[in-house]
Amino acid sequence: MTDAPRQLRLVVEVDDIDQALAFYRDALGLPEIAAFQGDGDARVAILDAGRATLELANAAQKRMIDEVEASGQPSPRIRVAFEVEDAAGVTRRLEGAGATLVASPVETPWRSLNARLDAPAQLQLTIFQELDGEEHVVGGADVLDG
């Protein structure tokens, strides 16, 4: 399909852009690929988050994921998930940078290590690490995150 999207960009309004940059760029490690300023203190920074996917889950699946990752604590309608090499280490680093731990890293049935954090910009994050280094296929569908 030649007219398929080439990039997924999640645009988030933040109250404190410097705090958000310190967390997402500096602590999480998302490289800044562009930044622009405009009139009236208008600022935007575009951070590279690697490969983007859109994970669509119905309510039952969302509840199941919440049960596995966060002992049933419900997540918001939109949650941002980042794949990392060391979920436990990144979780500790992000806590030190101001995130609030929702759930410590837990091994999921789909063989990833997932943690939940409430982060700046009013986003809930899943930090996940694939334990066998492969994407998972369950019932014909790729499972990349919990």
Side-chain angles (χ1 to χ4, degrees), residues 31-136:
E32 185 175 302
I33 58 175
F36 304 97
Q37 293 184 334
D39 294 337
D41 197 34
R43 291 175 57 197
V44 64
I46 300 168
L47 307 179
D48 185 358
R51 186 182 88 183
T53 61
L54 179 61
E55 182 174 326
L56 303 173
N58 67 12
Q61 178 69 18
K62 181 180 167 291
R63 283 190 302 274
M64 188 275 295
I65 293 169
D66 289 343
E67 185 61 42
V68 169
E69 283 187 6
S71 299
Q73 184 172 344
S75 60
R77 186 171 169 266
I78 295 175
R79 180 173 41 86
V80 180
F82 293 101
E83 181 181 3
V84 298
E85 288 187 27
D86 176 11
V90 170
T91 298
R92 284 190 302 275
R93 185 170 74 230
L94 295 181
E95 279 185 278
T100 301
L101 185 68
V102 173
S104 297
V106 61
E107 185 172 337
T108 69
W110 43 91
R111 296 274 308 131
S112 63
L113 189 63
N114 295 22
R116 289 266 184 100
L117 299 146
D118 284 331
Q122 299 175 343
L123 293 175
Q124 188 169 93
L125 308 182
T126 291
I127 302 300
F128 72 101
Q129 170 187 346
E130 296 295 353
L131 295 176
D132 60 11
E134 298 178 13
E135 293 179 1
H136 301 277

